[in-house]
Amino acid sequence: MPGNRARVLVLHPALGPLDYRVPQGMHVEPGSIVVVPIGPRQYAGVVWEPERMPTEEIGDNRLRNLIAVADAPPLPASVRRLVEWTADYYLASPSAVLAMAVRSTAAFESAPTIVEYRATGVAPERLTPQREQALERIGERQGLVRELATIADVSEAVIRGLVKTGAIESVVVDTDTSYPLPDPGFAPPALSAEQAAAARTLREAVESQSFDPFLLDGVTGSGKTEVYFEAVAAALAAGKQTLVLLPEIALTEPFLTRFSQRFGCEPVAWHSGLRTSQRRRAWRAISRGEAMVTVGARSALFLPYRDLGLIVVDEAHETSFKQEDGVHYHARDVAVMRGLFEQCPVILASATPAIETRHQVELGRYAELKLPGRYGAAELPDIEAIDLIKEPPERGRWLSPRLVLAIDAALERGEQSLLFLNRRGYAPLTLCRHCGHRFQCPNCTAWMVEHRLIRRLTCHHCGHTVPTPRACPECEEEDSLVACGPGVERIADEAAALWPDARTAIVTSDTLWSPAKAAEFVQRMEHGDIDIVVGTQLVTKGYHFPNLTVVGVVDADLGLDGGDLRASERTFQQIMQVAGRAGRGEKPGHVFIQTHAPEAQVMQALVSGDSAAFYAAETEARREAGAPPFGRYAAIIVSSEDKTAAEETARMIGRAAPKGDDVHVYGPAPAPLAMLRGRHRFRLLVHASRTFDVQQAIREWLGALEWSAKVRVAVDVDPYSFV
């Protein structure tokens, strides 16, 4: 392409690459972040190699000028290759993938300061309900006007009004302050012989600066974090950047503490909870190569690291690494590809690796490092199954007598207990005992979940919330509503009734919605201010509480419902992870699994600890079914607010489906969640052999069809959710 033209991938999801004229005196190169005109508006974009991003070329006389080049380093070639690969593999728009790499558009502006706002503690003379709500929810937090309005769930005008009254003040924040540098020699740990051997292998891989994927497979409490920290230390010593991916925002705070103890300062954090100023500061430091270690959620994977020397995916088996909206990518798999493009090692750390990861080890593509025992005096807990048919709880209760006795004994010894149920709220279904009316979400094919703590009925799919009514909306009978089934709030009520003197904490994404809340919970546990934790899968990940000795899994069968191909594996992983919270100190741990199916293969494997036999059987079942990793799946989800339009489009897509021995298309059929956020949904499932090019087939298949603008067709390659 001539020097006076530039091909730009614009941050506009509906547009492909566009050509622009480069004004005289302006210098751009592949990767340059630029501002371009589209109609009357301006958008950010990235200059791309024309041969890698073909488009219809137009004459020089029709080109519009680039407006400006951003004050930011060009996007590295490795990031551009990652954007291309992700868009191609997951059948996504390159623009949508690029948006994840240049998410902080504020970072392109050269202003080194930004004005934020915070509460002063002075109440305004006129305190309206909205102003009162705003000040209560903002608390000690600060941010832009729009950020505070979002936190407080009020309009920006309410925040501006509080600024005028002096209840909220402005504060200038320096967004270009450099981050402290972690010290690889600050506090090296004393490693066991097995840990030291694994750490040595990882250090050598970092020093060789080549692509090496590793599975760091160690039981819970075996010291995987300490081992991969030695690889981080090697990257720091070589002047290279490190990325550590965590599956949940709530895990960042405990991780930051452990990191500080090892390296003398915190790493750079990247997650959805950051303010604009924090996001801008982190993005610029990462792109300039000044942020040496970044810890973040899956979106941190696409940031423009200048000199990446190591990638760690912690809890790599976690399904939350798969993004279910927008670009349907799996961060574990994309992390391996990023390692390939960066030519650096990738460490997948897990106590319960996914079958897909184990298969890569068997094929010799990943090297496996095993840590078979717990560190120090800690031993793996004893695991017992409680058959709920033979040992049922008392009427109206959910905890069996044996589990109750175990918690009694733990409380007497001054030890902590954990009750695990992967169901938020008080009850999953509320109905009227008088007429049988069930509360269903108006936007989704889902029941409204009662949250008694906030006196609300909530849909966990779209967020629709209504106050819990006193009377049935159908028959108008008062006090007739009945909660069916348990959620964590109901189990917490039962715990309060059984142990009125015990201090109980509920841990879910409703209560631990920020790193600060997670840190507060960890502190209370470590100080012994909590006796019984009642929590969802959020408590299964990464926490280390030496005084926690009893774990009760309230309903181990819950994850086996729904016909998901990974249901048994996911149940095994989740319960092994929650069991791993017990007995992490010198005190032995005991785990009780309440189940109606103690003879099920997954329950037998959990009790016996024979994970090898369980995984062998699961892997063989997948092989026979041609399911991943031995075959390929892709889902096509057709949705619209108009049910007829969605169904007709789905049928049209089904009629045009490719046929052959290597590929089968099932459906269309209404999705299990047939309505989501007001949209009717139909699904087709593509099942193909491992060697079949699913992406190309779908590209040609859907590319030859046209459908109404009110219908949305999404493709999910390697789906994890089947609802």
Side-chain angles (χ1 to χ4, degrees), residues 626 630-634 662-664 686-694:
F630 306 102
R632 306 282 313 277
Y633 280 141
D662 286 346
V663 60
H664 300 278
V686 182
H687 182 198
S689 67
R690 194 78 223 163
T691 53
F692 185 78
D693 190 341
V694 170

Side-chain angles (χ1 to χ4, degrees), residues 37-169:
I38 296 178
R41 302 185 64 184
Q42 296 182 1
Y43 288 85
V46 174
V47 176
W48 223 267
E49 298 93 330
E51 66 277 8
R52 302 194 69 94
M53 201 64 73
T55 189
E56 184 186 345
E57 293 204 19
I58 58 171
D60 287 359
N61 59 330
R62 291 172 57 200
L63 292 180
R64 298 180 72 180
N65 280 356
L66 294 175
I67 294 170
V69 183
D71 174 31
L75 216 60
S78 56
V79 179
R80 302 198 299 278
R81 301 299 80 84
L82 187 74
V83 168
E84 292 164 1
W85 181 87
T86 305
D88 182 68
Y89 187 87
Y90 292 103
L91 296 170
S93 132
S95 191
V97 181
L98 178 63
M100 296 189 285
V102 288
R103 183 152 294 170
S104 178
T105 48
F108 314 149
E109 299 154 13
S110 54
T113 60
I114 197 167
V115 177
E116 293 186 336
Y117 294 86
R118 65 185 177 200
T120 59
V122 178
E125 286 180 23
R126 199 168 67 84
L127 193 62
T128 64
Q130 280 204 308
R131 285 181 168 184
E132 189 174 8
Q133 176 180 312
L135 292 171
E136 183 187 326
R137 293 195 181 179
I138 289 166
E140 295 180 7
R141 289 186 278 188
Q142 71 179 51
L144 303 177
V145 167
R146 71 165 183 273
E147 290 172 334
L148 295 186
T150 302
I151 289 166
D153 196 18
V154 297
S155 69
E156 290 185 23
V158 172
I159 304 296
R160 294 189 196 283
L162 286 167
V163 173
K164 284 180 184 170
T165 66
I168 288 179
E169 65 181 358

Side-chain angles (χ1 to χ4, degrees), residues 585-598:
E586 294 183 5
K587 300 171 183 176
H590 297 274
V591 180
F592 299 88
I593 301 173
Q594 296 192 158
T595 174
H596 288 93

Side-chain angles (χ1 to χ4, degrees), residues 219-222 372-374 377-383 576 579-580 582-583 588-591 609:
V219 296
T220 53
S222 60
R374 280 196 159 175
E379 293 195 0
L380 287 168
D382 292 326
I383 300 179
M576 281 302 285
H590 297 274
V591 180

Side-chain angles (χ1 to χ4, degrees), residues 328-362:
H328 292 263
Y329 70 96
H330 198 304
R332 177 198 66 211
D333 300 339
V334 179
V336 173
M337 290 309 297
R338 175 120 204 207
L340 176 64
F341 293 129
E342 298 282 356
Q343 283 299 294
C344 74
V346 181
I347 302 169
L348 307 180
S350 174
T352 52
I355 287 174
E356 287 85 348
T357 306
R358 291 171 185 271
H359 186 60
Q360 294 292 341
V361 171
E362 281 176 24

Side-chain angles (χ1 to χ4, degrees), residues 215-255:
L215 168 60
L216 181 57
D217 180 0
V219 296
T220 53
S222 60
K224 292 183 293 295
T225 308
E226 285 72 21
V227 168
Y228 74 65
F229 272 177
E230 294 310 290
V232 175
L236 286 168
K240 295 278 189 178
Q241 290 174 291
T242 296
L243 164 64
V244 181
L245 290 180
L246 298 177
E248 298 275 358
I249 180 176
L251 283 180
T252 52
E253 206 65 31
F255 179 89

Side-chain angles (χ1 to χ4, degrees), residues 21 58 281 301 346:
R21 182 185 294 110
I58 58 171
R281 180 186 174 204
L301 184 56
V346 181

